[in-house]
Amino acid sequence: ASLAVGGDEATSSLYAADEVSVATRDALQRAVENARPGARIVVAPGVYKGGIRFLHLRGAADKPIVIAGADPADPPVFQGGAA
């Protein structure tokens, strides 16, 4: 299953999907906060403000959490540190 998240409509109940596509910094932060073992978070190309927190992000040996760029030829760029 997959889910695209772009705005504020996302809630934690939506992250039961195996794959979540994000296109904003806020959507990425929510996806990371709600990721469960086996989740794959796919980040759209673009420039994102840094400082995203990965607190309590836990996969499992047989179900890692994967954060990947949507387009290897145009990977997302994260600039800056703390939010």
Side-chain angles (χ1 to χ4, degrees), residues 7-67:
D8 294 328
E9 73 282 354
T11 64
S12 62
S13 64
L14 295 176
Y15 294 105
D18 296 324
E19 185 170 295
V20 177
S21 296
V22 296
T24 67
R25 183 188 184 281
D26 290 339
L28 176 56
Q29 181 69 58
R30 283 193 305 278
V32 167
E33 289 170 356
N34 292 292
R36 302 291 178 255
R40 179 176 172 85
I41 302 169
V42 180
V43 184
V47 177
Y48 297 83
K49 182 178 176 185
I52 297 171
R53 299 173 190 254
F54 291 79
L55 301 174
H56 311 295
L57 185 66
R58 300 283 185 272
D62 61 336
K63 290 186 174 185
I65 296 170
V66 176
I67 301 173

